[in-house]
Amino acid sequence: MPQVALVSPDHLYSLLLEPEPEPYTMWWTLNGRRPEQAWGWTARFSSHTPVEILAALTDTLLQPEPDTAPEIWPLLTGAGWTHEHDERGDEIARHPDGILCLRQWHTGTHGRYFWTVETPLPGYRNVWNATLDDVIPQHLLAAFVSALALDEPVQRAMYDVPHTHLVRHEQRGPQGAELAAARKARLATARSLARKARRKAAPPTTQNGPPPAVRAAALPPRPSAAPTAGRGR
């Protein structure tokens, strides 16, 4: 049960992994803020959150913020999700299978609202769930929701998922060495982006002491070499 804390070079973002004995509790906490913000935002994810969905959000932190971001609900309705308002004025989108849903619900306090993802099963608690603040930047929320809308198979070991009776297993896609190479390439890309972000966040360096030309001029002149005695040919 290791605890892991990652902090961005500019100290604007942090990702915490805090495992608990109960597997259905919130294990992941992502905190962030813009430089001009007095307070930040928080997103929390339970232990069974698919890594591809969480990574879609964290990978976006390494990219420059775009000038515009897409609207949220069309990302889901364009993938076949339903979208409706409930009796309290909250909005909800549901996956066609009825298990996965995204809800925007208002707290009734100072006009605030939250985004929540739920995966309810009859007779079970949520397979996984997530909660995101209303002040999370739009492009980060869009990246997260776009990952929700994807309907592509994911790589998992046989039966290495909760509620395996709901999952169809097929041996397809990259295997063995191909999968390892893809992971290595992904890590190399992430490290390269992280180095760029670190250089961008680093304060400009100042040179101590006089410039090289001044230092060179301050040194005493070297004595000329004495002529060498004649050497036989």
Side-chain angles (χ1 to χ4, degrees), residues 197-217:
R198 192 178 299 111
R199 288 196 296 268
K200 184 177 180 180
T205 58
T206 57
Q207 188 176 15
N208 296 323
V214 176
R215 289 199 301 267

Side-chain angles (χ1 to χ4, degrees), residues 176-220:
E178 293 180 83
L179 198 59
R183 181 178 181 275
K184 184 178 180 180
R186 169 180 164 76
L187 289 176
T189 300
R191 289 182 179 127
S192 176
L193 291 171
R195 284 194 295 269
K196 292 179 181 178
R198 192 178 299 111
R199 288 196 296 268
K200 184 177 180 180
T205 58
T206 57
Q207 188 176 15
N208 296 323
V214 176
R215 289 199 301 267
L219 295 176

Side-chain angles (χ1 to χ4, degrees), residues 32-112:
R33 67 175 180 86
R34 286 194 172 100
E36 68 277 7
Q37 286 181 320
W39 65 88
W41 50 266
T42 298
R44 305 190 69 204
F45 309 88
S46 64
S47 61
H48 288 153
T49 301
V51 64
E52 293 83 2
I53 293 176
L54 181 59
L57 177 55
T58 56
D59 283 357
T60 308
L61 296 177
L62 297 173
Q63 303 289 345
E65 182 173 348
D67 295 331
T68 60
E71 294 296 324
I72 298 304
W73 302 116
L75 295 174
L76 299 176
T77 56
W81 292 45
T82 60
H83 176 225
E84 60 189 31
H85 294 74
D86 63 15
E87 65 278 3
R88 293 173 298 182
D90 299 336
E91 297 184 67
I92 185 171
R94 300 183 187 276
H95 189 274
D97 65 12
I99 296 177
L100 181 62
C101 66
L102 173 70
R103 184 189 305 271
Q104 183 192 59
W105 58 278
H106 295 78
T107 65
T109 304
H110 305 296
R112 291 204 62 184

